[in-house]
Amino acid sequence: GAVVSQHPSRVICKSGTSVKIECRSLDFQATTMFWYRQFPKKSLMLMATSNEGSKATYEQGVEKDKFLINHASLTLSTLTVTSAHPEDSSFYICSAREVGRNTEAFFGQGTRLTVV
Amino acid sequence: AQKVTQAQTEISVVEKEDVTLDCVYETRDTTYYLFWYKQPPSGELVFLIRRNSFDEQNEISGRYSWNFQKSTSSFNFTITASQVVDSAVYFCALSALENRDDKIIFGKGTRLHILP
């Protein structure tokens, strides 16, 4: 099946620094990628929809300036957590769907972010 | 608006027992897709099944089976002869065309414990 690679899988950063998470579709093109956040023992909360070549669409309550999303190509989307704080510590997962097909979304392995 | 309800927060069964995970969904669309994903302790999301709204046939895949009933807006998942390796969080999800970006909305998940 299709593969979505997310990097890094784990990151620890100091409060106030920025962290970039990459999401790549390895064997297909994705015009749309999705970023989710998952708190411990909770469901996946959709943060934003990343559209190639245009601005991301953020869900209500998600700070655009805090969580910067860039979708520069059909195989890469990045999420940058700016000026990270301990409350940003969470599990972030991206997913991607193939261009032109309403199929299952393939998910990356997730990134566990810890802000100290 | 779309919504997915997984009423069972946590279930524990003894190995070899059958277990059914419930999922009820809401959408205004007549065309939509339903999914089940498994999230083991490692965190990655494993795709299990996708079902479109026009296909009400039940599906069986090994020890897994799914019962889709449009009349009750349910898409239940049964594991037969459960095994310890089935222990995970299981998410039911929905993607409907009322949402242009085809984003997938997740239920809150059911944490399944299979006891040896």
Side-chain angles (χ1 to χ4, degrees), chain A residues 32 34 36 38 41-44 46 49 51 57 59 91 93 97 102-109, chain B residues 33 35 37 39 41-45 47 50 91 95 97 101-109 111:
Chain A
T32 304
F34 305 92
Y36 292 84
Q38 186 178 31
K41 298 192 176 183
K42 298 292 183 183
S43 185
L44 287 85
L46 180 66
T49 302
N51 302 297
T57 304
E59 296 299 302
F91 191 61
I93 309 179
R97 293 174 102 164
N102 194 352
T103 64
E104 67 272 18
F106 297 97
F107 285 80
Q109 305 93 320
Chain B
Y33 292 83
F35 308 81
Y37 287 88
Q39 187 178 41
S42 55
E44 80 274 19
L45 281 170
F47 166 76
R50 174 181 66 102
F91 291 98
S95 174
L97 293 183
D101 289 327
D102 293 332
K103 60 189 178 186
I104 295 179
I105 303 299
F106 285 83
K108 294 187 176 181
R111 186 173 298 274

Side-chain angles (χ1 to χ4, degrees), chain B residues 1 3 11 18 30 35-36 66 70 105 110:
Chain B
K3 186 178 179 182
I11 301 175
D18 299 346
T30 55
F35 308 81
W36 275 95
W66 291 270
K70 286 179 79 170
I105 303 299
T110 297

Side-chain angles (χ1 to χ4, degrees), chain A residues 17-62:
Chain A
T17 62
S18 296
V19 174
K20 181 185 284 187
I21 303 170
E22 290 187 350
C23 180
R24 293 180 185 274
S25 56
L26 296 186
D27 52 0
F28 67 98
Q29 293 185 326
T31 49
T32 304
M33 292 186 178
F34 305 92
W35 287 96
Y36 292 84
R37 180 175 181 175
Q38 186 178 31
F39 291 101
K41 298 192 176 183
K42 298 292 183 183
S43 185
L44 287 85
M45 181 191 78
L46 180 66
M47 298 174 64
T49 302
S50 168
N51 302 297
E52 188 266 337
S54 64
K55 290 183 179 180
T57 304
Y58 289 82
E59 296 299 302
Q60 192 173 6
V62 178

Side-chain angles (χ1 to χ4, degrees), chain B residues 74-90:
Chain B
S74 65
F75 187 43
N76 297 337
F77 172 33
T78 297
I79 301 175
T80 305
S82 61
Q83 299 176 2
V84 173
V85 293
D86 295 327
S87 297
V89 180
Y90 291 86

Side-chain angles (χ1 to χ4, degrees), chain B residues 41-56:
Chain B
S42 55
E44 80 274 19
L45 281 170
V46 178
F47 166 76
L48 296 178
I49 191 171
R50 174 181 66 102
R51 171 70 68 217
N52 75 56
S53 52
F54 299 109
D55 182 3
E56 282 194 77

